Structure formats: C-alpha cells, structure tokens
Amino acid sequence: MHRLELRLPDQVPFAAGGFDAMGPMSRADYPHRHTFYEIVHVVEGTGAHVIDAERYDVRPAQLGVILPGQVHWWEGVRGLEGSLVLFTPEFLVDGPDDLGLLRRLGERPWVDLDGAAHERTSLLMGELAEEYRSGADGFAGVLRSLLHVLLVRAARVPGGRVVAPSQGLAGDFLRIVAEAGGGGVSVRECAGRLGVTPGYLNEVVRGATGRTPAALLREARVREAQRLLVATSLSVRQVAARVGFDDPAYFCRFFRREVGASPGGFRKHHERPVPSIEADAPPA
C-alpha cells in the first residue's frame, strides 16, 4: 500500500511532476495500490499498464486515472515518459463535483488523446507541476482550480460517455460503496446510514446511475476480491472473509457466477513471477 508523502512545511496532500521527479515508485512494475488518486499523462514509451487485472497497451499520447484502492502496475515498459498528479480524497473535500468526475473517469481509466487534447493536457499538467513547485501564496486554491479544469476536460475526451457528476443521495451512496471496499455492506445498512428507506435509495440510485444499489455493491465486492486474488498471497478463505463472506464455498459460487471462473482459476490466470504485496500493509 503506497501512501502520499506530504511536502513540508505546507502539508498539502498533493504532488505533481514528471516520472523522474516523482521517483522510481512512479514506474513500479509490481502490483500495488494507493491511498490517493493518480492521474498520469503518458507522452512516450511502450509496454502496458494493468489496472485491476485489465491490461492497457501504452500507446502515447494517453491519459489514465487510478482510484484509491485499485491495484495497478506497469508491465514491460520501455522509455516511459510523461507527468503525474497525485492527491488524496481530502484534497477535494470542497469539490464534490470533482469526486463525481473521478468516479466516472475511473470507469474508463485509460483513454487515447488526439493532438489537440494532448496539447491541452500537457499545458495543464505543466501548470500544475509549476504551481506545486512554487508554493506561492494561495497555491493550494490554484491547484484545486487547475485540477478541476483537467478533470472536466478529461471527461470530454471521446471514447467514453460523459456523465454528469453524481450528487446528493446517489453520490453519498457511491461514497459509502467506495469506503466499504467490497466489505459486505448491505443495501439496508447503506439506507440506514443515509436516513432513507431501501426502496427510496433504490429509486434514486437507479435513476442516477442506471444500476441498482445491490448491483453496485455486488460489483464492488467482485472488484475487491479480484484485487486481493491478483495482488496478495491471501488464501481464498481469507479473501472471502475480507469481502464479507463467512462461507468460502458460497463465495466461490458467487465469484464463479459473476466472473466466469473460480477464485483459484482467476488467480492462476493472472499469476506474475514477482513478489506479491500484502493488502493493507501498515506504512513503512
């Protein structure tokens, strides 16, 4: 688990710059996850980027979005160059629209940029890095404003449906889903935390997302199980417990129904000859 090292003395939970400026971990070739968001603009290189077991060929110019908790790594990359923006959820505490945009962008995490979009993205990434390095008065507000522009423009890039950011009850439900991390929370429990009935929650969330709360919770459990199987050495029984299943046999039936493979078969298909990371390891 990688955590964002804060810059002293300002302690702003944000960083921006090129791959070299961010250090060797920015090109990590082993499965890992973050407690922060990462936006990456790739301008040179070959190879692949893997996000939650999905492989995306590196074919510059491209823009990627990695959400907190997702497992990712660079695979067989050569000549990888570009820039990154890293920030914690707390950095956008006053920007619920931006959190919604990030959730939507996370559903299409790797997009190709045409010449015009590449140029605009390069300028914004450069401004973010320069503002971060300068640390001038009011720079945190400028960083948030520039980041908002980057997210809005990223949502306009062809190749994915642009969806208005989730707000209100639906947005609050999606935040609970993200925080639970596939931990087995129920629709009834979510409704209770939000102070509404399960029926009303179902109506609002379905209207905002096109999917039921139960389906979204089920997808979150499947994604978390896949992450744990790919990126940790936990047993199937331990993975089942992590995602809220007391009965490993029932978990195996659930996983096969949703994924089309057994947990063991899925793990074997995604085996890599590198050391695995431990889930939720304490900070070094």
Side-chain angles (χ1 to χ4, degrees):
M1 178 70 81
H2 295 177
R3 290 168 171 79
L4 186 59
E5 294 183 6
L6 302 184
R7 187 181 69 174
L8 297 174
D10 47 67
Q11 294 291 314
V12 172
F14 182 97
F19 279 94
D20 291 337
M22 293 294 103
M25 300 302 290
S26 64
R27 296 185 177 94
D29 61 356
Y30 58 87
H32 63 282
R33 61 170 101 202
H34 304 154
T35 60
F36 52 87
Y37 292 95
E38 177 177 338
I39 299 175
V40 54
H41 180 214
V42 177
V43 300
E44 291 183 26
T46 59
H49 190 211
V50 183
I51 306 175
D52 283 347
E54 292 292 328
R55 187 177 187 275
Y56 302 93
D57 291 332
V58 172
R59 190 176 53 246
Q62 292 170 312
L63 189 70
V65 177
I66 302 98
L67 306 181
Q70 288 188 304
V71 173
H72 81 113
W73 67 90
W74 297 97
E75 186 173 87
V77 293
R78 300 172 66 97
L80 182 63
E81 298 294 342
S83 53
L84 305 100
V85 173
L86 316 175
F87 53 96
T88 68
E90 292 76 20
F91 185 72
L92 294 178
V93 66
D94 296 324
D97 289 358
D98 291 337
L99 290 172
L101 280 169
L102 282 161
R103 282 193 294 271
R104 299 307 184 193
L105 290 170
E107 294 178 0
R108 52 178 192 115
W110 203 251
V111 295
D112 297 325
L113 302 176
D114 61 21
H118 170 50
E119 183 176 353
R120 287 193 296 268
T121 301
S122 296
L123 290 172
L124 277 170
M125 297 294 273
E127 286 190 73
L128 283 161
E130 177 59 31
E131 190 67 28
Y132 173 69
R133 284 193 299 267
S134 74
D137 291 346
F139 81 110
V142 174
L143 289 173
R144 289 186 177 92
S145 297
L146 290 171
L147 181 59
H148 175 73
V149 174
L150 177 65
L151 295 177
V152 170
R153 288 184 174 172
R156 295 175 181 171
V157 173
R161 182 168 60 95
V162 178
V163 181
S166 298
Q167 298 181 11
L169 182 64
D172 291 340
F173 170 76
L174 291 173
R175 280 187 281 279
I176 291 175
V177 173
E179 292 166 2
V185 64
S186 69
V187 174
R188 183 173 296 278
E189 288 169 331
C190 291
R193 288 173 61 178
L194 295 169
V196 298
T197 66
Y200 182 69
L201 179 64
N202 183 76
E203 179 183 345
V204 172
V205 171
R206 187 164 191 164
T209 68
R211 288 174 288 177
T212 65
L216 291 168
L217 287 168
R218 186 169 63 250
E219 290 167 11
R221 296 177 91 179
V222 170
R223 283 196 302 271
E224 182 66 7
Q226 289 175 319
R227 293 168 183 166
L228 293 171
L229 289 166
V230 169
T232 79
S233 57
L234 295 174
S235 68
V236 171
R237 178 182 293 274
Q238 289 172 316
V239 171
R242 288 289 186 95
V243 296
F245 287 88
D246 296 327
D247 183 352
Y250 180 66
F251 165 70
C252 290
R253 293 194 297 272
F254 165 83
F255 191 90
R256 182 181 287 277
R257 184 181 71 241
E258 297 296 324
V259 179
S262 68
F266 180 84
R267 168 174 274 167
K268 184 175 181 180
H269 180 72
H270 293 283
E271 278 181 346
R272 304 176 65 251
V274 296
S276 62
I277 61 169
E278 290 298 324
D280 301 324

